[in-house]
Every structure is written in structure tokens, then in C-alpha cells.
Amino acid sequence: MKLIEVQNNQMFKIDDIRFTGKEEFRDTIAELMLNGSRLISLTPVDPDNPKKIFAALTDKNFSVIYLSGCDFNGSALEYESFANDFPQTNYFECELAENYGIMPLNHPWLRPVRKQNVIMGNIPYHFFQLKGEEVHEVAVGPIHAGVIEPGHFRFQCHGELVYNLEINLGYQHRGVEKLFLQLNSDQRIILSESIAGDTALGHAFAHCHAIESLSNIQLSLRAKVIRTVAAEIERVAMHLSGLGGIANDVGFALPSASYGRLRTLAINSLALICGSRFGRGLFVYGGVRYDIDNEIKNSVMENLNTILNDVRQVNDYMFSSVGALSRFEETGIVSKDLAQSIGLVGLAARSSGLEEDVRINFPYSAYRYNPVSMITLSTGDVFARARLRALEIDETLRFIIEQLENLPEGEIKAGSGKTVPGSAVISMIEGWRGEIVHSVFTDSEGKLMNYKIKDPSFNNWYGLSLALRETGISDFPLCNKSFDLSYAGHDL
Amino acid sequence: MKDAIKIRILQGDPVIHDVKNASLPKLFRGLPVIEDKPCLTGCTSCAEICPTNAIKLNPVSIDIGLCVFCPLCEEACPEKLIHFTNDYNTASEVREKLIVTNKTKSITPEKASEKIRNYFGRSLKLRQISAGGCNGCELELNALGNVNFDMGRYGIEFVASPRHADGIVITGPITENMSKAVEICFDAVPNPKIIILVGTCAISCGIFKNSTKLQRKFLNENKIDLFIPGCPPHPLTFINGLLDWLDK
């Protein structure tokens, strides 16, 4: 059977998707996953009328996205769950069930995604509980000790060791996907910057790409380079923030303070470019709002060179400390096989040895002309996730400085266009955490009909949960920080 | 040991010593100013383009409690009457003061009552609650503790337990799912206690105005002591707002 293949950011007609019966849909998806594809989107085409569902799977070896559809055709809104054979689909199926009441039959563990204590609309849900004499339960959240977002963690412990960690989120749910359909174009960009405020540029990037593809807008090379430079500065800033948090969680004050200082330099560079320390306001449809002139370029370069020089020395200091390494190494391990089967993405996947990087596997924007290197580590522990950040900062700074030194000439903003009716696009971006996917569908008038967002945190929270198994409960803050996932991005 | 000293030397003196007179980049969008000139007859460009309906016409005013500090109105005005300055002093103790007109030159909070200054003037411990915040405001509040802003030197700090706190700081538009937690947390703070709203979402929902997943009952039932506008507010907005309010 011939499948529809598209590339990252390639517009396609909704009518071209082949909607088959449940059996054929199941066989198609199962075969793709058996051959190493990963599910990135599972959603009805029209949320108001969820009788047809759409699935997108990526094959990183061929840089293609496979599209498949299922038409329930009047029969009950249920299908045989994939999750028993392919754990990566587990959470996608829970989400589909929660949002639209589409039931995955024989699902191994149907859990709430953004609701509390209830599944399938009204069936009471109870946390998994371990029973026995030496067993105890620890409940944390939704409000945590630090200045961070809310979420509930339920640990089942056997002595000091965590037997199971259940993560219950949804406290941040603001109804972002629905809002996208109601707002006008100026508002939508601002909303995309607020999906996850720490990845403002990543999500704005994905959103702009989606809309630009749907309205056939071509960008100048200069605009593309400015976009990628800004997005990479965001990556540097958040990796520094992550390293600072990891150092802080093992009580290592000096590196923590140094990473904090360097992060300020990185986000102040974004403020030099566009006035916001998080890059808000930079992205517009068709390009960027602010140009980088020589004065700004020189100030930014100065900041980046300071970071480049200092961060290497701070890294050497931290990663040669026996005390710090003893906390990092062999803590919170996710093996390569496990990472593959649960479908980890981004930084966490690369730390476990998976070659998952949208910038390289599905190149977009300026990465098509100026590639970055794939960096992977194999141990999948806190050390790998921390060390990978350090290595990526180095590579990313090299990329940014090279781009700024060779900034192409051109306009920074292209004209606007209208979104094409009856079409859809899958827009993938490598945010600093990992793969961001925006799947956008338009109706017969060209208005947005469905806006589906997948933050990398959606894949990776389950990874944190599994990393904690057989790990001391006192290592939880450290493991959590090493993943550094978004609550808002997950809850939407 | 030698390496530690090397790192410490690299660190230099990164502290912003004079937080009241620090300068921000030209492009930073802080307090907007509206020139005292008449608009083009019938022009409604700024009000129309404003993504959060923060602009009222005749005369033009911008509610920075609603504003997300995007530059759309600045770009839309044919007469260039609206301009965002890099003035980060925008905190206020009353909601009404956040409405910027062509008369507004600066916004600073009035001194708090003597009672509040006596209680909290020397030491203020705050419990932060993120209730739907996107992590933008949260990151800026975290930045207050770093070596650049070092808010602890003024006796203002974030604490883990509401029992140890003198008040709460709310970020985010207050989602339905967090509304109960906000109430429980505030109840756990001993009296007297204050409430500070940080960021446009907390003050007015901002871009989430039309969301059906919010529950803001708590804000109607309690007196808000300080508003810190911004999307997200710059750390200096927060520090200076509190220092002015506590008269420090």
C-alpha cells in the first residue's frame, strides 16, 4: 500500500490523506512503528466532529513524515490500542481518549493527561498504589518548593528507593489549542510565545513555519539566519540555566552562580536584538521584526565570546569535581532501548544514545544550508544529560558566531499571504528540550480548523518517571532538573 | 582550590549595585509614552491592532495591566505618537494607575502603609505560586536570586513553605485546575499577609482573556497589594517596585 509522505513544513491537502478502516489503519501504523518510525501526532482532523483521526509518524533515516488516517465510519469511537506493543503511543492514546472520548481498547494503563482523578470524562481514577509493610507513599505538589510551575508527583517507595513515580499534570491547562482557532494572526504569534515561556522562540518558530507553509510565504535567507541565531541563543541560555540548576541541586554553589551569570549574558543578548530577554516580538509571519545591525552584532558577539571562554572553564571545574560526578554518574538511567521504545526526543534521547535532532534529521530554515553536528552520549544518566548540555553549548556558540560573521544580505520580512483552504502542515522544530510539533489544519474557507501542539515534554515526562525507578528518592530533584521539562508546554 | 579561585576571578563583580539607575537596552519595551498631540481624525489603528484590547481611544490610553508589551501599536500609529521607553519602573499599588495616558510620565507605587512597612520593611519572605504561568515570569523571578540582581541583599526572598511567608506572588492567569491550590496556599500564610500579582496574565489574563479554563474568583475576594506588569516583567521592575513600595 502506498503511503503519503511529506517533508517537514510541506503543505498537503487534507483530501490526499487516505482514511481507511480500523483494521487497515492498525496494520499500517504498526508496520511503520515496527520499522522504527515514531508517532508525532494523533488527532482528529476536525475537533468538532472527531469521526476521522489522523496520525503522523516520522522516519528519521529518510527525513520523511508518513501520514495515515482512520475513518470510524459510523462505528463506535474505539480502536485496538497500540500501546501494548509500542509503549511510545501510550500517552498519545490517553490524550485522544481524554479530549475526544475515543477509546483505545485494551490500553495497558489509561491515565488522565490534563485532568485530575478522572478518565474518559467521568470514570474515577486512582493513583497506582504499592502495598506492603515496608512501603510508603510520598505526595509532592502541585505547588513545589522552588519558583517553578505546578505539577503533582506521587512516589511509591520501598525504603529509600522509588518503586514507581506517577506524574499527574494539567494544572497549567489554559486551553491554548482552542484559543489558536479563535484569535487573529497578530494574537496567535503572541500566544505561540506563551505556550511555554522558556521556549518562546521555539514555539513561535514552529507556529510561523506552519502558517507560512499554509500561505506559501517564502523567507529571505537573512530572515532565516536571524531566526536560527535567536533560537540558538535561546538554547544556550536554557542549557546554561539547566546546568546552573543541576549544580545547585548538588549544592555546588560556585558553578551554579557562574552559569547564572553567563545565562544573563545570553538572554541580555536576545534583549539587544529584539527588546525582550526571551525573544518575544522577534518573529512575524514572513520573517523577523528586527534586523541585526553592526552595533548590535558586535555587542552580541562580545557577550557570546565571554560565554564561550568562561563556560569552558566552569565546565572543566564542575565536571572534574569528584563530589559532583559521584552524584551525576549512574543516577536516573534511561537505557537506549528504553528511550527508543517510549519515544524520547531531544536532549534526553541524545543523552541515551538516540540520534534524535530535528535540525539534522528534518533540516529546516537556515540549518538546511548551515548544518549543526549531532552530539550523542550513551550512558543516559544525569551525567549524560548535564554533559550533553555543556557540549551543545560549545557547538551552538560555534554555529551562532559563524552565522553572525557571515550574515547574508536581504530583506528581513516577506509579504503576507492567505492560508490555503482544505490543507494541512506538520511543522517540526528542535527546541532546546527537543522536538516541537505543530500540526495545523484549515477548513474549506482557509480558516484554522485544528491546531495540535506537541511539546517535547509530552514525550519526555514519561522518561523522567521511568528514570526514577530503583533510584533513591533523594535524587529526584537532580533527575528532574536534568530533564528540565515544561509543565505549561505539556498542559497547553 | 586553585581552579575554584580562577572561576571566582572570572566571575568578577557581576552585581548590579545601583538597581535604581541601571540602564536597559534601547529596544527594551518598558513604560509606553503617548505624545500629547491630537490623533489623525478617525484613526483607530492602535486600538484595532492591540492583541489584548489594552488601548482605549479619545483620548488614547494604554492599560499596561493588559498590555503584553509587543510593539504592534507603536508600529501601527501613523503619527508615531506611541513609543515604548526602556523605563522599567512600572509597578503600582493600585490597578487604575496602570492606565497610561498622554499625561503619564512615570509610574511608581505609593509608599505602603506604616503598618506594612513596620512589618515587612526589613525582611519580606514571599511564596510564589505559578497558576498557569508559562515559565516566563517564573524564570524572571528566579533570576532575582542570581548574582546579577541578588535581591536577597534587600531582605526580600522567596521561601519554600507558605508557613514561612509574609505573602504570595501569583504568576499566570489562574487556571481552573490551580484555583483551589492558590486558595489553600494563601490560607496557610500567617496574618498579616500581602498579595502581589506578577505579569500581565496574573493582572488581567492578557492573551488568555478568552480562555474558558480560568477561574479568577480568588482575585475578586482578596485585596491585591502590588501589581507588577510586564510580559514577563524585567527583574528590575520587580525589585524597584518592591523597594519603592516598602520605601527602601
Side-chain angles (χ1 to χ4, degrees):
Chain A
M1 193 204 77
K2 183 97 179 72
L3 270 172
I4 303 188
E5 300 172 12
V6 290
Q7 298 198 330
N8 188 8
N9 285 312
Q10 185 190 344
M11 181 171 65
F12 55 91
K13 290 279 168 202
I14 295 176
D15 288 343
D16 289 346
I17 308 167
R18 257 191 83 223
F19 291 97
T20 57
K22 287 181 204 176
E23 296 295 315
E24 198 181 334
F25 178 69
R26 192 188 153 71
D27 293 346
T28 314
I29 304 281
E31 195 187 324
L32 282 173
M33 285 191 288
L34 215 55
N35 290 329
S37 291
R38 186 163 52 71
L39 187 65
I40 57 164
S41 187
L42 183 67
T43 175
V45 173
D46 179 358
D48 293 331
N49 188 14
K51 294 206 175 85
K52 284 180 179 176
I53 55 171
F54 161 86
L57 294 100
T58 55
D59 188 333
K60 64 183 179 203
N61 297 322
F62 298 100
S63 301
V64 291
I65 305 168
Y66 298 113
L67 312 174
S68 181
C70 174
D71 192 343
F72 288 108
N73 221 346
S75 66
L77 294 183
E78 55 189 35
Y79 59 98
E80 193 66 30
S81 167
F82 297 99
N84 290 301
D85 302 322
F86 307 101
Q88 51 157 314
T89 67
N90 157 29
Y91 214 35
F92 287 92
E93 292 178 10
C94 293
E95 190 191 30
L96 198 64
E98 182 169 295
N99 290 352
Y100 303 101
I102 301 173
M103 184 71 180
L105 297 171
N106 300 318
H107 188 280
W109 191 352
L110 201 59
R111 298 184 59 246
V113 177
R114 299 185 181 96
K115 290 202 159 82
Q116 271 91 47
N117 311 322
V118 57
I119 48 171
M120 294 304 290
N122 54 10
I123 307 167
Y125 175 81
H126 299 287
F127 288 113
F128 171 83
Q129 209 171 19
L130 192 61
K131 290 208 170 86
E133 258 182 33
E134 289 169 18
V135 165
H136 64 104
E137 188 180 66
V138 181
V140 185
I143 301 177
H144 301 289
V147 181
I148 57 166
E149 300 173 72
H152 184 83
F153 299 95
R154 193 65 71 100
F155 299 89
Q156 308 297 328
C157 299
H158 189 233
E160 286 293 303
L161 293 183
V162 176
Y163 182 80
N164 185 53
L165 159 63
E166 209 173 331
I167 301 170
N168 187 212
L169 302 174
Y171 294 93
Q172 300 279 68
H173 182 52
R174 302 150 291 173
V176 170
E177 291 173 338
K178 272 215 177 92
L179 279 174
F180 264 109
L181 308 182
Q182 297 167 9
L183 300 181
N184 69 31
S185 56
D186 291 320
Q187 293 170 319
R188 285 200 301 255
I189 296 184
I190 291 164
L191 183 64
S192 70
E193 290 165 343
S194 302
I195 295 169
D198 46 31
T199 321
L201 288 167
H203 276 288
F205 211 148
H207 172 66
C208 287
H209 263 180
I211 300 297
E212 283 153 6
S213 297
L214 285 173
S215 21
N216 293 314
I217 301 173
Q218 297 294 330
L219 271 71
S220 74
L221 192 54
R222 188 179 179 88
K224 287 179 180 171
V225 170
I226 294 177
R227 279 182 172 189
T228 47
V229 162
E232 291 298 323
I233 296 178
E234 177 177 82
R235 185 183 315 276
V236 172
M238 288 313 296
H239 279 0
L240 286 167
S241 164
L243 284 169
I246 289 169
N248 186 50
D249 277 342
V250 297
F252 206 177
L254 190 53
S256 174
S258 295
Y259 288 126
R261 166 179 65 95
L262 297 175
R263 170 179 176 265
T264 306
L265 285 178
I267 57 177
N268 283 352
S269 305
L270 279 178
L272 283 170
I273 295 172
C274 70
S276 159
R277 306 214 305 164
F278 295 89
R280 284 166 187 264
L282 179 66
F283 277 67
V284 289
Y285 296 147
V288 289
R289 180 173 271 129
Y290 301 100
D291 205 354
I292 297 181
D293 63 21
N294 272 334
E295 192 191 331
I296 293 172
K297 187 171 99 182
N298 293 338
S299 315
V300 171
M301 287 282 238
E302 196 184 321
N303 282 348
L304 296 177
N305 281 317
T306 309
I307 299 175
L308 188 63
N309 173 57
D310 292 12
V311 80
R312 283 183 180 160
Q313 302 189 47
V314 181
N315 285 339
D316 285 349
Y317 179 59
M318 182 160 93
F319 289 106
S320 60
S321 155
V322 180
L325 289 179
S326 72
R327 290 291 307 277
F328 296 165
E329 283 174 348
E330 291 175 31
T331 305
I333 299 172
V334 180
S335 69
K336 186 174 178 179
D337 287 347
L338 186 61
Q340 173 102 46
S341 84
I342 61 172
L344 284 195
V345 296
L347 186 113
R350 293 196 291 279
S351 303
S352 295
L354 295 181
E355 296 194 340
E356 288 283 350
D357 190 327
V358 182
R359 294 175 296 171
I360 295 149
N361 297 337
F362 301 89
Y364 54 90
S365 202
Y367 302 112
R368 294 171 72 106
Y369 315 101
N370 310 297
V372 287
S373 314
M374 173 81 74
I375 307 172
T376 60
L377 292 169
S378 57
T379 48
D381 50 4
V382 171
F383 170 78
R385 289 185 286 274
R387 188 71 194 150
L388 192 72
R389 282 181 168 87
L391 297 172
E392 286 197 357
I393 290 172
D394 233 37
E395 165 67 5
T396 297
L397 284 169
R398 174 202 67 76
F399 174 83
I400 304 171
I401 291 169
E402 215 173 278
Q403 297 303 301
L404 281 176
E405 275 172 353
N406 303 299
L407 210 54
E409 294 297 321
E411 292 292 316
I412 55 165
K413 195 174 173 304
S416 53
K418 270 199 137 109
T419 44
V420 179
S423 306
V425 69
I426 311 254
S427 166
M428 295 162 74
I429 294 288
E430 184 75 12
W432 64 270
R433 279 191 189 92
E435 171 199 274
I436 296 169
V437 181
H438 287 208
S439 316
V440 190
F441 300 77
T442 60
D443 65 10
S444 52
E445 288 163 18
K447 282 201 228 124
L448 299 192
M449 171 169 74
N450 185 10
Y451 204 101
K452 185 84 208 79
I453 300 160
K454 186 198 71 69
D455 190 85
S457 310
F458 188 83
N459 304 78
N460 287 2
W461 274 114
Y462 193 48
L464 172 63
S465 191
L466 296 184
L468 255 287
R469 289 200 177 164
E470 297 300 312
T471 297
I473 188 169
S474 51
D475 278 329
F476 171 67
L478 183 60
C479 290
N480 189 19
K481 195 70 211 177
S482 74
F483 278 87
D484 202 0
L485 301 175
S486 172
Y487 300 73
H490 169 280
D491 294 349
L492 298 175
Chain B
M1 184 68 195
K2 213 173 76 200
D3 290 338
I5 294 169
K6 233 169 67 191
I7 301 287
R8 180 63 194 84
I9 291 169
L10 268 184
Q11 191 77 335
D13 180 15
V15 184
I16 300 172
H17 290 281
D18 184 1
V19 290
K20 294 202 189 239
N21 294 306
S23 72
L24 293 183
K26 269 203 315 257
L27 284 174
F28 177 78
R29 292 181 293 279
L31 180 73
V33 290
I34 303 166
E35 275 187 50
D36 197 2
K37 283 187 199 155
C39 297
L40 286 182
T41 324
C43 175
T44 56
S45 320
C46 57
E48 263 168 39
I49 200 147
C50 180
T52 52
N53 293 322
I55 302 182
K56 296 270 171 301
L57 296 169
N58 305 319
V60 178
S61 69
I62 306 177
D63 180 354
I64 57 168
L66 268 165
C67 175
V68 287
F69 296 82
C70 71
L72 283 169
C73 54
E74 196 178 41
E75 288 171 354
C77 181
E79 298 284 281
K80 301 284 165 228
L81 299 182
I82 300 173
H83 173 59
F84 280 94
T85 65
N86 59 0
D87 179 1
Y88 43 78
N89 289 304
T90 47
S92 164
E93 82 293 2
V94 283
R95 181 71 179 81
E96 295 73 36
K97 249 167 65 181
L98 295 181
I99 296 170
V100 173
T101 66
N102 53 18
K103 304 282 179 296
T104 312
K105 295 284 169 273
S106 66
I107 297 180
T108 40
E110 285 297 316
K111 265 193 293 187
S113 69
E114 201 179 334
K115 186 178 155 198
I116 286 185
R117 280 184 283 135
N118 277 342
Y119 270 116
F120 304 133
R122 284 159 167 270
S123 151
L124 178 63
K125 306 288 171 208
L126 296 165
R127 171 62 248 191
Q128 187 268 352
I129 310 171
S130 169
C134 67
N135 209 16
C137 291
E138 288 77 1
L139 282 172
E140 288 298 46
L141 291 178
N142 269 320
L144 287 162
N146 71 19
V147 287
N148 305 99
F149 298 104
D150 188 22
M151 191 171 61
R153 66 188 139 147
Y154 302 108
I156 308 169
E157 268 171 352
F158 291 102
V159 292
S161 170
R163 297 274 187 217
H164 303 155
D166 304 313
I168 57 169
V169 174
I170 300 178
T171 55
I174 312 195
T175 54
E176 221 172 322
N177 292 348
M178 270 306 283
S179 59
K180 187 81 192 151
V182 172
E183 275 172 38
I184 295 173
C185 182
F186 186 62
D187 280 346
V189 179
N191 278 315
K193 51 190 168 185
I194 59 170
I195 304 176
I196 301 174
L197 299 186
V198 168
T200 299
C201 289
I203 297 173
S204 70
C205 304
I207 198 77
F208 298 105
K209 192 96 193 163
N210 296 328
S211 169
T212 54
K213 304 289 179 189
L214 309 180
Q215 174 49 269
R216 291 169 64 81
K217 200 164 75 174
F218 176 83
L219 299 181
N220 303 329
E221 292 166 353
N222 294 284
K223 182 184 173 292
I224 310 301
D225 296 276
L226 203 58
F227 298 88
I228 318 271
C231 189
H234 196 277
L236 289 173
T237 310
F238 189 87
I239 295 189
N240 283 302
L242 274 167
L243 292 184
D244 290 337
W245 189 59
L246 296 169
D247 194 23
K248 288 172 84 157

